[in-house]
Amino acid sequence: MDIPRDDRHRMYGLVRRLLFLVPPERIHTLVFAVLRGVTTVAPVRRVLHRLLGPADPVLASTVFGVRFPGPLGLAAGFDKDGTGLFTWGAMGFGYAEVGTVTAHPQPGNPAPRMFRLSHDRALLNRMGFNNAGAGALAVRLARYRPDVPIGVNIGKTKTTPPAEAVDDYRSSARLVGPLASYLVVNVSSPNTPGLRDLQAVESLRPILSAVLAETSAPVLVKIAPDLSDSDVDDIADLAVELGVAGIVATNTTVSRDGLVTPGVEELGAGGISGPPVARRAAEVLRRLYGRVGDRLALISVGGIETADDAWDRITAGASLLQGYTGFIYGGGLWPKHIHDGIARRLHHGGFASLNEAIGSAATKPDRPPS
């Protein structure tokens, strides 16, 4: 007998309260280990994939030459080293982006470095790209063949001087590019000193050029929500000029505006994900679609909690979506709920495919003067 949806939400609410008694990074490690353990068993994985995966053909699409069974993917940061490659399709995601990985292994920032902002349904993190290195991920990607596309998010090693950033990104691209469904150049995390300075066009141009020259995989760039509108425009124009496949918008925000969780000021530096970034992430998406939406794929991430949120991003111009914080607060059925909700809206709206709905509520892209 099916459990009513409201009852499922209440049940996970109880489970979440118990999980939230444990420090965030510790419970992340434990829950992720359980998910990996369960989905390691092939028959169990197949059953979960059949029950939770995006089965409606209307959800499938081809973006930058890659076939995605559903538009919602796991955002970078959850599976930093690709240890759950078989997990994410079974959990109902249409794809996953692993990383961020760097050319050299690094421990990240000192703990504690992840915090819940429960009153805001948000997270604050200053993880600092803790990972085992692009080489270790390359070995893992070569060994396994996941059942959904796997993108790889690459960043700069903390100890690499800005003047050597190009070679650092090039090294990661060389290692993981041949094995990834797509690559994302991350120049927008607030947790590596000086990284966001690389979003300036004069710094970003040689990085993207080097990565594009190193791999045949589709290359995207991930940008911050805290950029000015003019900086967003400049990066969009650069991406088109260089032949980048798309833009991931957006990363976490350093803004503390509107937060209601008590004591957030004492938590220190870090990027905030979840609903507090939703408004700006949607604004950046609409701006990007209006400028380059007919030439670049746009992946929208930041504050997507419900199927209505997801639908708004698609009709505003997003070809694909990503979530992390929504998964934490929404639980294991969250990807399925989002995909089912998108499928219902596609059918009710008379759309024959997901592609028909992309940008359907937005003004057509207006190319800047040459």
Side-chain angles (χ1 to χ4, degrees):
M1 183 176 67
D2 290 338
I3 301 173
R5 184 173 177 178
D6 287 345
D7 289 345
R8 293 199 301 264
H9 282 308
R10 281 193 291 269
M11 288 169 61
Y12 179 67
L14 292 172
V15 172
R16 186 177 64 226
R17 280 197 287 273
L18 292 174
L19 295 176
F20 279 18
L21 295 174
V22 183
E25 191 170 354
R26 184 180 304 168
I27 198 62
H28 173 97
T29 301
L30 292 173
V31 170
F32 188 15
V34 170
L35 293 178
R36 290 198 309 271
V38 169
T39 54
T40 296
V41 183
V44 175
R45 187 169 66 247
R46 286 194 291 269
V47 170
L48 287 174
H49 198 284
R50 188 166 60 249
L51 292 175
L52 302 180
D56 195 323
V58 77
L59 292 168
S61 64
T62 299
V63 185
F64 40 76
V66 178
R67 188 68 173 171
F68 294 86
L72 179 66
L74 180 74
F78 195 107
D79 187 357
K80 290 181 176 292
D81 289 309
T83 55
L85 295 176
F86 285 134
T87 301
W88 308 119
M91 293 304 299
F93 287 101
Y95 67 105
E97 188 173 308
V98 300
T100 299
V101 293
T102 52
H104 305 284
Q106 57 183 30
N109 293 322
R113 52 191 182 179
M114 181 182 288
F115 307 88
R116 303 183 191 97
L117 309 183
S118 297
H119 289 68
D120 299 286
R121 293 179 64 83
L123 298 173
L124 186 156
N125 93 82
R126 51 172 175 270
M127 301 298 291
F129 291 167
N130 53 304
N131 73 102
L137 176 59
V139 171
R140 194 167 286 118
L141 288 169
R143 185 179 301 161
Y144 300 108
R145 291 290 179 267
D147 49 7
V148 294
I150 300 293
V152 178
N153 187 296
I154 59 174
K156 184 184 79 68
T157 307
K158 183 178 181 179
T159 57
T160 297
E164 299 173 17
V166 172
D167 288 337
D168 197 80
Y169 280 99
R170 182 189 287 117
S171 295
S172 293
R174 183 183 304 122
L175 288 165
V176 298
L179 303 162
S181 299
Y182 66 90
L183 281 183
V184 175
V185 175
N186 187 345
V187 287
S188 53
S189 169
N191 301 317
T192 296
L195 186 75
R196 286 191 165 188
D197 295 340
L198 300 179
Q199 292 177 113
V201 167
E202 61 271 17
S203 299
L204 185 57
R205 180 187 297 276
I207 293 172
L208 291 178
S209 297
V211 172
L212 286 163
E214 196 62 50
T215 181
S216 60
V219 174
L220 295 85
V221 60
K222 187 169 186 175
I223 63 174
D226 308 306
L227 290 170
S228 67
D229 287 347
S230 62
D231 287 338
V232 171
D233 292 346
D234 289 344
I235 293 174
D237 294 344
L238 176 67
V240 170
E241 176 192 337
L242 296 180
V244 169
I247 298 176
V248 182
T250 62
N251 213 317
T252 57
T253 180
V254 296
S255 172
R256 302 295 189 264
D257 293 346
L259 297 178
V260 298
T261 299
V264 66
E265 299 83 1
E266 286 77 51
L267 296 179
I272 292 176
S273 60
V277 78
R279 180 176 177 180
R280 180 57 180 165
E283 289 174 353
V284 172
L285 169 66
R286 287 191 291 269
R287 187 170 192 89
L288 288 169
Y289 187 76
R291 194 169 185 90
V292 296
D294 58 340
R295 290 169 288 172
L296 296 180
L298 303 176
I299 301 181
S300 187
V301 54
I304 297 171
E305 286 202 298
T306 67
D308 284 336
D309 297 334
W311 183 246
D312 288 346
R313 302 291 179 92
I314 289 169
T315 58
S319 298
L320 296 168
L321 311 169
Q322 291 180 353
Y324 177 150
T325 308
F327 185 45
I328 300 298
Y329 283 90
L333 294 178
W334 180 73
K336 176 176 172 54
H337 291 157
I338 298 294
H339 277 136
D340 287 352
I342 294 171
R344 284 194 299 270
R345 285 156 179 79
L346 286 168
H347 290 300
H348 292 166
F351 296 102
S353 68
L354 181 71
N355 285 336
E356 288 186 5
I358 294 168
S360 59
T363 55
K364 290 187 177 180
D366 181 20
R367 296 191 180 186
S370 301

